[in-house]
Amino acid sequence: MAPARCPARALLLAYASLLAAAVGLGSPEPGAPSGSRAREEPPPGNELPAGPAARPPESPVERAHGLSDPRDAWMLFVRQSDKGVNSKRGSRSKAKKLKLGLPGPPGPPGPQGPPGPITPPEVLLKEFQLLLKGAVRTRECAEPEPGPRVPAAVPAARPEDDREAAAGGAGVLALLAAPLDPGPRAPRVEAAFHCRLRRDASVERRALHELGLYYVPDAEGAFRRGPGLNLTSGQYTAPVAGFYALAATLHVALAEPPRRGPPRPRDRLRLLICLESRCQHHASLEAVTGLEGSSELFTISVNGVLYLQAGQYTSVFLDNASGSALTVRSGSHFSAVLLGV
């Protein structure tokens, strides 16, 4: 039995020694360099030339640590950048699989910004005047000249012409900018009226008739301001002395058809606005029309300006110098406006 156990014990010892040697070679000691630094360098004098096949293959990390030239390190990085996660094939497949969903609802509106600066009317007026000046100058430059000018015949510019041109331009600007100017307004009209005839009025032949029985219509555009109008008598008394614009329009109808035959010079009508009912002695406004070419219904009008003293009255008269009676239709009107003192 002893001789049989000895060979087996010798084999076990040899196997254990081989395992210990393998473990000692595979695990480096703590503090020993790793990678290419862990490889033992041959002692000097025993170096043997080794070809490319004899060297073990190096990993990219080992090659990057072993490169001392920056260019070689950069080229190695460029070659390795298209591999692994950064490969083009993987990115294309992932891009194809990416799907976008429907857009979401719009977000709430943002807060309102601060109000802009308030421009005063004076600044707007100045800007408008500058725009008008520029438009006038552009139009003057664009207008064609009436004819060829001879330099020797062109008169020299006079200071008076420049002043007149400047005054004319200033007048146009003032007229156009009047609605924007916050200055004083136009003077108030203190006395004015517009009235209409309430009913038809008959005028006998060869007669001078004063019209009355007016009313102020309740319509847009009609007006009555100030005292002095007597609607029953048709007389308007001037409240103050001044210039008055007066107007009258009558719608006249023939009571009977005109006679056949040659027209007579006496067949005419006169419409008058007289002062104090004295058409022959005071100044009056007058309009004359003939009846030879008139139809059964026609219109006669008169207007003008008279100066009235305070307390003087004016009224409308129709002088029928024809041989037939006439009718003044309702709706004929009489008006006056105080222009100034």
Side-chain angles (χ1 to χ4, degrees):
M1 297 298 292
R5 294 178 181 175
C6 292
R9 185 179 298 176
L11 290 175
L12 289 175
L13 292 174
Y15 184 68
S17 62
L18 290 176
L19 288 177
V23 172
L25 294 175
S27 60
E29 296 179 1
S34 61
S36 62
R37 298 180 182 178
R39 290 193 299 266
E40 296 181 359
E41 298 181 359
N46 296 331
E47 298 177 357
L48 296 176
R55 297 180 181 177
E58 297 180 355
S59 64
V61 180
E62 293 177 352
R63 278 184 284 174
H65 283 295
L67 292 177
S68 60
D69 190 0
R71 183 179 180 280
D72 296 341
W74 172 251
M75 296 304 296
L76 177 61
F77 172 75
V78 171
R79 285 194 297 268
Q80 298 295 333
S81 61
D82 294 336
K83 297 180 181 181
V85 182
N86 298 329
S87 62
K88 296 182 179 179
R89 295 181 181 179
S91 60
R92 290 180 181 175
S93 61
K94 292 181 180 179
K96 290 180 180 178
K97 294 180 182 179
L98 183 61
K99 294 183 180 180
L100 298 178
L102 297 176
Q112 186 177 3
I118 300 176
T119 306
E122 294 79 6
V123 177
L124 294 177
L125 178 61
K126 290 181 180 179
E127 293 181 356
F128 181 65
Q129 291 177 351
L130 292 176
L131 290 176
L132 288 178
K133 289 181 180 179
V136 170
R137 291 176 183 174
T138 304
R139 184 175 181 181
E140 290 177 353
C141 296
E143 288 181 353
E145 297 181 358
R149 296 183 178 180
V150 181
V154 176
R158 295 179 300 174
E160 294 80 3
D161 298 340
D162 296 339
R163 286 194 294 269
E164 292 178 359
V172 172
L173 291 176
L175 181 61
L176 293 176
L180 300 176
D181 191 0
R185 299 180 179 179
R188 173 184 170 86
V189 177
E190 298 296 338
F193 72 90
H194 173 85
C195 59
R196 290 183 178 273
L197 197 63
R198 182 178 296 276
R199 63 184 64 173
D200 296 349
S202 298
V203 182
E204 300 296 330
R205 61 187 182 95
R206 316 291 183 200
L208 180 65
H209 182 77
E210 184 179 13
L211 299 176
L213 294 178
Y214 292 98
Y215 74 98
V216 178
D218 187 11
E220 187 72 23
F223 54 91
R224 182 182 181 182
R225 179 176 294 176
L229 177 61
N230 190 333
L231 296 175
T232 303
S233 64
Q235 297 176 353
Y236 175 67
T237 303
V240 294
F243 297 92
Y244 289 81
L246 305 167
T249 300
L250 303 183
H251 307 296
V252 181
L254 299 177
E256 57 185 16
R259 300 177 180 178
R260 296 183 179 179
R264 294 177 297 180
R266 294 178 298 174
D267 291 345
R268 68 181 188 277
L269 294 179
R270 290 195 308 157
L271 176 59
L272 305 102
I273 300 178
C274 305
L275 297 179
E276 301 287 337
S277 301
R278 304 180 67 179
C279 301
Q280 303 295 332
H281 298 83
H282 296 305
S284 61
L285 304 177
E286 180 180 351
V288 181
T289 182
L291 299 179
E292 59 274 7
S294 302
S295 59
E296 294 182 0
L297 180 63
F298 58 94
T299 300
I300 180 172
S301 301
V302 64
N303 60 79
V305 179
L306 292 176
Y307 185 83
L308 304 180
Q309 299 289 344
Q312 285 186 333
Y313 72 88
T314 180
S315 56
V316 180
F317 285 84
L318 181 63
D319 181 14
N320 182 11
S322 67
S324 59
L326 302 174
T327 300
V328 180
R329 294 290 181 86
S330 61
S332 302
H333 58 82
F334 176 38
S335 60
V337 176
L338 173 61
L339 299 179
V341 296

